[in-house]
Amino acid sequence: MSLSGDNYFQRALVFQGGGALGAYEAGTYQQIYRKAKKESLDGRLFDIVAGTSIGAINSSVLIGHYLENNSWDGSDEKLLEFWEGLMCSSIADSLFHRDSLVRIYWDNMKILNQDLADAENARRFWSIFEFAFSPRGVPNMFKSIPHLGSKFLNPFTDFLPWWKYDFTPLKNYLSKFVDFPIKTRLEDGQPRLLLTSVDIQDFSSTVVFDSYEKLHDAPEKIDYRLDIKGIDNKDIRNKNITKGRWYSEYGNSENRHLIFYDGIGADQVLASALGKYAVNHSHIEDSNTGTTRQLWDGGYLSNTPLRELLTAHRNYWMEYTKINQKKIDEAKENCTELIARIPELEVFIVNLHPLTPRDIPTDKDLVDDRENDIFFHDRTAYDEQVAYAFTDFVNMTRDLINLARSKGLSTEIDEILNKKAKTIARIGEYKFTTNRDLFLGKPRISKVWRIDRLETPEATFGKVTDFTPNSVRKLIQAGQFDARISIDRMELIFGIEDLISEGIMSMEEGDEIINEAREVITTEQLLYRMKKDEVVHAYNKYKEKILAKDLPVECKEILLNPGRDIVNLVSETNGKL
């Protein structure tokens, strides 16, 4: 990978957790993949893939495909193939199929009782119930195991079985798609995989598994009595483990944990993916405390691992740049050049849990479903805003430094950069002690593309367990549609931002154009009342206003192309999702 050039950046994917909703990510990836492939000149599509829970599983399948083929080509089809194997028909599928007697009878009952769910909701509910509360489970995902308890002699709970889940089938199925362990290197041009998990005995911070090796020694405190899975005790005693290995350090400053692993294996993927009722959570030894840690689904603490992505990116490039600066450019050893070499991030985030559902839940099923969405929805908008602000701050500071050096003030600039920072704090694995370090430690983002799944009328609590073919295929199709609309919408917004920054239009003009385009580019409008004639009419009105503006032809094309693509999409689907 070339490290030269002001436009050097890395493209990252962030996949959220959500069980069966991960099929939506498979759909969105089709469009993200096509966009990246169209824009790439060297075959480098994605530099980092970060995931939690089902997002960790999808991420592992993608990276596994890349390592097997040394290329991203076909990765979109591979992910779809993976989801084909997760689909599982239910008894309810056969009972509620189109024109079945059960479906007809159910629809007639709904005429008499409007509070009754419609037939499709009923099909989903009873499918979920079958998967979660019968020994069958989902063949390539989990087996359901009943348990009995008598802790409080509560007749409403203790004398009914509660269910736990064995995810051995998932581990076996995943190993057919991924050659574990996953170990990748920047020097070989390979993508980086980041997965998040939670230590249930210390959830002050997430546990992050990284397919890249650490560039520095592990902390000295190691309990050499430990039998660490995948690592020879002889290596530990000889301290060969302290450099060039994979490990995670987490916790607060007073209670640190250090866990080793040999690349990302199936155990690390499951550590990110298994929820509270799993029977086979990952256990790993803590070299700092000499205790065994149990790891749960990373979604409990960070279901959208953008912050973990930014932190890992910052830490790695700070160290990599410092280690390799002389190799990169022997003649230029100053803060400005170091900052310029750290790549900005272009990030795609897929949010599986709807942020703006239309209806107020009125029954227990929908209340529980809404609570689940609130708990696991995307909370990274602030992280994005801060990253954008720091990007502008760092770019401005770099320009000021370059200006000062051009005026012969290099010595004075270096004195300022080498001053001790007023706030000296340990952050992660690095100490920020000087102004130079503070500048180096700010992650930069060029663009964030967000794809948000909207809730459908068939919302049901437990939808994360609905692996029926009909539901999975609907999610994949919705992901493809939403991603294309979202990418077009963001293309327009980023285009307007560029025109404003170049002085071609004002902020007020940009806001006016976005408002005019809202009927054409808003996913919610298209999903809830997607009629071909309405979309075409809205686009033609928008087009007339853009063509009437006093702008260069190429600028008008930037403003019109996204809407034109949406009209084409609506035409392709004949006005139906």
Side-chain angles (χ1 to χ4, degrees), residues 197-207 250-251 255 257 259 271 284 286 289 291-298 301:
S197 184
V198 173
D199 181 335
I200 65 166
Q201 296 167 277
D202 184 352
F203 32 91
S204 57
S205 62
T206 53
V207 180
Y250 63 96
N255 190 23
H257 306 282
I259 57 176
I284 196 163
D286 178 3
T289 64
T291 59
T292 300
R293 320 301 296 185
Q294 185 180 112
L295 304 179
W296 284 12
D297 189 322
L301 197 56

Side-chain angles (χ1 to χ4, degrees), residues 192-451:
R192 185 181 189 184
L193 177 63
L194 298 169
L195 308 181
T196 60
S197 184
V198 173
D199 181 335
I200 65 166
Q201 296 167 277
D202 184 352
F203 32 91
S204 57
S205 62
T206 53
V207 180
V208 178
F209 297 111
D210 192 343
S211 67
Y212 275 14
E213 289 182 285
K214 296 290 187 184
L215 298 176
H216 58 277
D217 292 350
E220 287 298 321
K221 183 180 178 182
I222 297 178
D223 188 338
Y224 300 107
R225 300 168 297 173
L226 293 179
D227 180 18
I228 302 174
K229 186 174 182 180
I231 298 176
D232 194 319
N233 267 337
K234 189 182 296 182
D235 285 339
I236 299 175
R237 288 191 294 272
N238 294 334
K239 294 192 177 183
N240 293 330
I241 194 173
T242 60
K243 190 170 184 178
R245 294 285 188 176
W246 287 262
Y247 64 87
S248 299
E249 188 180 6
Y250 63 96
N252 57 43
S253 58
E254 298 177 357
N255 190 23
R256 301 295 290 174
H257 306 282
L258 182 67
I259 57 176
F260 289 88
Y261 50 97
D262 189 24
I264 292 181
D267 287 336
Q268 281 69 49
V269 178
L270 293 184
S272 176
L274 302 193
K276 57 185 178 181
Y277 292 131
V279 299
N280 39 6
H281 289 111
S282 295
H283 292 78
I284 196 163
E285 302 295 340
D286 178 3
S287 299
N288 241 12
T289 64
T291 59
T292 300
R293 320 301 296 185
Q294 185 180 112
L295 304 179
W296 284 12
D297 189 322
Y300 289 122
L301 197 56
S302 179
N303 201 38
T304 314
L306 176 63
R307 184 174 301 180
E308 288 74 15
L309 165 67
L310 295 176
T311 301
H313 182 73
R314 173 198 70 193
N315 290 350
Y316 186 87
W317 278 95
M318 277 184 65
E319 190 166 12
Y320 182 88
T321 307
K322 288 180 178 179
I323 292 172
N324 294 280
Q325 179 60 31
K326 290 184 179 180
K327 297 178 183 178
I328 294 173
D329 194 339
E330 300 250 349
K332 299 176 181 179
E333 294 184 28
N334 58 65
C335 180
T336 305
E337 291 304 316
L338 287 174
I339 293 173
R341 302 294 181 180
I342 298 177
E344 288 189 348
L345 285 173
E346 180 180 14
V347 184
F348 291 83
I349 296 176
V350 182
N351 181 26
L352 299 179
H353 299 271
L355 297 173
T356 56
R358 301 180 72 195
D359 301 323
I360 297 174
T362 56
D363 59 68
K364 184 180 186 304
D365 177 75
L366 292 179
V367 166
D368 290 342
D369 180 59
R370 185 63 51 81
E371 179 189 45
N372 214 43
D373 284 333
I374 293 172
F375 191 78
F376 290 110
H377 84 275
D378 179 20
R379 294 180 174 85
T380 61
Y382 180 74
D383 296 314
E384 176 187 339
Q385 292 171 9
V386 170
Y388 274 137
F390 277 134
T391 299
D392 290 338
F393 172 70
V394 170
N395 289 340
M396 178 190 69
T397 304
R398 181 185 59 196
D399 291 341
L400 291 173
I401 290 172
N402 287 336
L403 176 63
R405 291 191 189 283
S406 70
K407 301 296 184 181
L409 300 175
S410 293
T411 301
E412 290 82 353
I413 286 295
D414 287 334
E415 288 177 357
I416 293 173
L417 293 174
N418 291 327
K419 278 185 178 179
K420 297 292 182 183
K422 289 187 176 180
T423 302
I424 300 176
R426 180 171 178 81
I427 303 178
E429 298 160 338
Y430 301 93
K431 277 191 174 181
F432 294 80
T433 59
T434 67
N435 290 331
R436 188 187 301 270
D437 292 329
L438 288 172
F439 287 127
L440 286 173
K442 303 303 180 188
R444 299 186 301 152
I445 284 182
S446 60
K447 295 177 181 177
V448 175
W449 305 78
R450 290 183 179 273
I451 301 165

